Every structure is written in structure tokens, then in C-alpha cells.
């Protein structure tokens, strides 16, 4: 492992003998109703760039779909692999994003700041007027989808960030991020056996904790889906396909943790979740890009994704997945997950 290792998808730092540390220097500009940061909510103005392979980007695809923001915010979908320089639009005709007209996401970052030197990350929201990135602050993007873009929510959109639950949710989501979302990376990019062991036990302690929480409630905050579920799901859905082997999180497969496995399948089978997931792209990204962990670049053929459609039994717990709202309709034409991972935007 190199002394300082950085990946375009996040800014990943790992030093031999030390614990993994994520580079979290993001562009924190917000798009708001009042346009306080210089960017006002406006349908058709912004383009979300979100690779299906990336768990942080997957969050934005799920929330955008649950809230019905597809017509207000267009989407660009980079391919699952990238070089050390940038995510690229290799799934689009001619390798060119059809709206932004660029081959590399890096170009949108440089349009914002010609001297930009931080990570070229997804998700990123780009202003189509000048082709410049507005924000790549993934945690805030989805919260703003819920709170700032309400004028463009679909009829029946769920409340993913209920005001009366926010204090508890914020604490829970911080825990999920530090211990689980980022926890799998601490295992995968540990710089020593000691750092790996510490990360391993910390991760599974957290998974056991949320499993206990979900024994008595269908979703993390109770009877309805919230942003907290979205954040946990994107790690769980990648667990057996990638993290268990590639990141050595192998105490148990997700499919061997009964409560979490049933919970994850419940969400996967809910419109807005599984229909944003492309297992082939997920595996291709991790196993082909992380050559320091997987030098051969060989991508595993399993596991069979059909297991995600098996009965989960969580409906017997009752609840209202969409609260007072309704499920989203069919996936927007051109955004379907297809066998070769292509999607027209």
C-alpha cells in the first residue's frame, strides 16, 4: 500500500500502520429556496452527477426518486470505473455527457475553480448555465432535496426528514456514517493488522446495535422510511457483493444476519430503492479501481442478485413505508437499470 493513497471517488487516505482517514473537504455551497449561497432552487437548472457504483451517490438517486424530483433535477451517470484523475462519462455516446458536454467530471470542478485540488467526487450537482459544480457535500444534498426542493416534490412524496424527529435522526445518522458507512472503508483501507482489527470489531458492534434497534421496529425511526434508512441501505446493499470479501468485513455476510438481511430486502423491494441499484457496476467499481487491494482487477461473478427478491416477512410488523404519502411511480424512461449498466439521461 502506498504511503499516501487518494481515490477520485472520495479522497481516501491510508498510511501504513495507521487507521484509515477519509478526506472530507467538500464544496459546501447549498442550493436553497432563498438562494442565500448564490444558487436558488430552480427546476431544470441543475444536473445531478451520480455514479450508480458509489454508495454516497446512490443516496441521492434514491431520495431524488422517492421525492419525485426527476423532472426538476436531471441526472448524469458516469461509468463505474475511473482513473486517478476523474470520473468519466464512458456510458454515454461518445463518452460525452449529453447535457454538460464534458468527458470528465473534473472539468465541472475546474469550471468552478481552475485551481481545484480536492477530490473529484460523486455525487456532485452542476449548474448547467456555466457547467460548474455547485456542491459535492453528499450529506447535505439529500437533506436539501427534502427541505429546500418541496415546491417540486411529487404528489404523495414521503417526508424523509420529519421535523419532530430531526434531533434523534441527526444523531443516528452520524452514528451510521462514522461506524457503518465509513466503517467498512476503515476495514478495507486499514494500514496495519492492528488498525484493521480495531475497525473490524467497531463495524460489527455497530451492525449489531442497529440490528437490535430493528428487531422491534420496521424502519430505523419507526413505522415509516426516512433518510436514515436510505443512508444505512446503501452500505447494506453492497455488503455481500463487495465489502465482505474485498474489504475483509467477513465476520458474517449480510445474508447471515437475519434482522438486517430481512430489513435490507424489505427496502430493496420498495420502489425507489432496488430500482436504483446496479450490482454489476458496484462490483466493477470496487474490484477494478482498487488495484492496491485487488491487483488482478478480477471481478467476482457472485453473489446471485435474485436473492434480494426473496420473501423478507417484515410486512408482518405493520407500518406505513411512505407515511402519509404513496410509492413513486415507474422509473423515468432512460433511467432504468439495465444489464449493461447503460442509462440515457
Amino acid at each position: 500500500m502506498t504511503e499516501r493513497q487518494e481515490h477520485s471517488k472520495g479522497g481516501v487516505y491510508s498510511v501504513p500502520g495507521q487507521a484509515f482517514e477519509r478526506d472530507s473537504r467538500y464544496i459546501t455551497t447549498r442550493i436553497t429556496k432563498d438562494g442565500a449561497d448564490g444558487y436558488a432552487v430552480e427546476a431544470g437548472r441543475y444536473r445531478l452527477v451520480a455514479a450508480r457504483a458509489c454508495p454516497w451517490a446512490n443516496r441521492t438517486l434514491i431520495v431524488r426518486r422517492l421525492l419525485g424530483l426527476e423532472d426538476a433535477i436531471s441526472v448524469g451517470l458516469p461509468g463505474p470505473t475511473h482513473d486517478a484523475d476523474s470520473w468519466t462519462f464512458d456510458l454515454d455516446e461518445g463518452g460525452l455527457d449529453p447535457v454538460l458536454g464534458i468527458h470528465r467530471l473534473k472539468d465541472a470542478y475546474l469550471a468552478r475553480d481552475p485551481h481545484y485540488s480536492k477530490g473529484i467526487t460523486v455525487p456532485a450537482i452542476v449548474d448547467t448555465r456555466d457547467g460548474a459544480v455547485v456542491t459535492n457535500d453528499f450529506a447535505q444534498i439529500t437533506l436539501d432535496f427534502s427541505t429546500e426542493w418541496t415546491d417540486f416534490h411529487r404528489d404523495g412524496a414521503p417526508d424523509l426528514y420529519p421535523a419532530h424527529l430531526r434531533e434523534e435522526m441527526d444523531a443516528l445518522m452520524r452514528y451510521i456514517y462514522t461506524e457503518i458507512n465509513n466503517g467498512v472503508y476503515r476495514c478495507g483501507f486499514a494500514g496495519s493488522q492492528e488498525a484493521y482489527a480495531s475497525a473490524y470489531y467497531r463495524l460489527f458492534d455497530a451492525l449489531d446495535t442497529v440490528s437490535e434497534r430493528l428487531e422491534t421496529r420496521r424502519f430505523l425511526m419507526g413505522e415509516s422510511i426516512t433518510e436514515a434508512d436510505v443512508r444505512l441501505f446503501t452500505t447494506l446493499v453492497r455488503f455481500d457483493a463487495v465489502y465482505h470479501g474485498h474489504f475483509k468485513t467477513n465476520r458474517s455476510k449480510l445474508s447471515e444476519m437475519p434482522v438486517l438481511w430481512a430489513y435490507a430486502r424489505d427496502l430493496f423491494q420498495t420502489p425507489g430503492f432496488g430500482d436504483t441499484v446496479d450490482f454489476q457496476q458496484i462490483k466493477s467499481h470496487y474490484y477494478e479501481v482498487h488495484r492496491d487491494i485487488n491487483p488482478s482487477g478480477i471481478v467476482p461473478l457472485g453473489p446471485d442478485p435474485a436473492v434480494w427478491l426473496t420473501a423478507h416477512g417484515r410486512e408482518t410488523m405493520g407500518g406505513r413505508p411512505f407515511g402519509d404519502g404513496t410509492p413513486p411511480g415507474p422509473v423515468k424512461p432512460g433511467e432504468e437499470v439495465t444489464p449493461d449498466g447503460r442509462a440515457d439521461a
Side-chain angles (χ1 to χ4, degrees):
M1 189 173 289
T2 57
E3 182 172 342
R4 179 180 181 276
Q5 183 172 69
E6 183 173 356
H7 297 294
S8 300
K9 70 168 288 187
V12 174
Y13 292 86
S14 187
V15 179
Q18 297 183 18
F20 160 83
E21 181 180 352
R22 178 174 297 281
D23 178 9
S24 56
R25 298 172 299 162
Y26 300 111
I27 300 173
T28 57
T29 307
R30 293 176 60 194
I31 301 169
T32 57
K33 289 182 180 180
D34 63 8
D37 282 358
Y39 295 91
V41 167
E42 183 180 337
R45 176 176 171 180
Y46 304 101
R47 187 160 177 81
L48 170 66
V49 179
R52 294 190 188 277
C54 173
W56 321 104
N58 196 176
R59 292 181 183 184
T60 61
L61 295 174
I62 293 170
V63 172
R64 172 178 173 267
R65 176 148 158 65
L66 292 176
L67 298 178
L69 290 172
E70 293 97 329
D71 290 334
I73 306 170
S74 69
V75 69
L77 298 167
T81 61
H82 58 69
D83 56 26
D85 193 44
S86 181
W87 292 87
T88 57
F89 296 96
D90 47 294
L91 298 179
D92 291 304
E93 185 175 355
L96 197 71
D97 180 90
V99 172
L100 301 176
I102 57 177
H103 293 281
R104 309 175 308 157
L105 179 57
K106 183 176 183 178
D107 294 339
Y109 279 86
L110 295 178
R112 171 69 184 261
D113 177 3
H115 304 290
Y116 185 83
S117 60
K118 304 173 187 176
I120 308 300
T121 67
V122 290
I125 296 183
V126 180
D127 188 343
T128 62
R129 293 182 177 184
D130 59 7
V133 169
V134 177
T135 180
N136 65 341
D137 188 355
F138 64 89
Q140 190 62 48
I141 287 172
T142 49
L143 297 181
D144 284 344
F145 281 177
S146 284
T147 60
E148 300 294 328
W149 287 81
T150 52
D151 289 345
F152 300 100
H153 288 184
R154 65 178 176 86
D155 291 339
D159 185 355
L160 298 177
Y161 194 41
H164 69 288
L165 295 177
R166 288 180 189 175
E167 184 176 357
E168 181 183 359
M169 276 185 67
D170 288 344
L172 177 60
M173 291 190 297
R174 281 194 298 272
Y175 179 76
I176 289 170
Y177 170 74
T178 60
E179 305 306 306
I180 299 176
N181 300 148
N182 206 38
V184 293
Y185 285 86
R186 271 197 303 272
C187 291
F189 290 109
S192 70
Q193 187 69 39
E194 182 181 9
Y196 163 71
S198 175
Y200 174 96
Y201 290 117
R202 185 174 167 182
L203 169 65
F204 281 100
D205 282 348
L207 288 170
D208 290 342
T209 296
V210 295
S211 179
E212 290 174 8
R213 182 183 182 95
L214 289 164
E215 287 178 359
T216 57
R217 57 182 77 194
R218 187 168 176 184
F219 304 107
L220 285 169
M221 299 306 300
E223 66 174 12
S224 301
I225 292 165
T226 65
E227 168 98 11
D229 297 292
V230 176
R231 296 189 180 198
L232 179 57
F233 172 79
T234 57
T235 294
L236 296 183
V237 80
R238 288 161 173 76
F239 203 88
D240 287 3
V242 174
Y243 302 141
H244 180 269
H246 186 58
F247 279 177
K248 307 178 185 68
T249 62
N250 61 354
R251 186 200 74 177
S252 313
K253 295 178 181 176
L254 177 66
S255 58
E256 296 167 343
M257 294 182 270
V259 173
L260 290 178
W261 176 225
Y263 163 80
R265 280 178 293 155
D266 189 4
L267 290 176
F268 185 89
Q269 294 170 33
T270 298
F273 285 84
D275 51 34
T276 70
V277 174
D278 188 314
F279 286 109
Q280 189 56 44
Q281 285 202 28
I282 289 168
K283 291 190 296 183
S284 179
H285 172 74
Y286 284 91
Y287 286 100
E288 292 187 61
V289 171
H290 297 163
R291 291 300 179 100
D292 48 314
I293 298 177
N294 185 44
S296 70
I298 294 173
V299 179
L301 296 178
D304 185 352
V307 297
W308 282 89
L309 300 178
T310 58
H312 53 76
R314 297 280 290 185
E315 69 279 359
T316 62
M317 301 179 74
R320 301 176 302 149
F322 295 96
D324 294 329
T326 57
V331 176
K332 183 177 180 179
E335 295 187 11
E336 304 94 338
V337 174
T338 58
D340 65 356
R342 290 183 179 274
D344 299 323

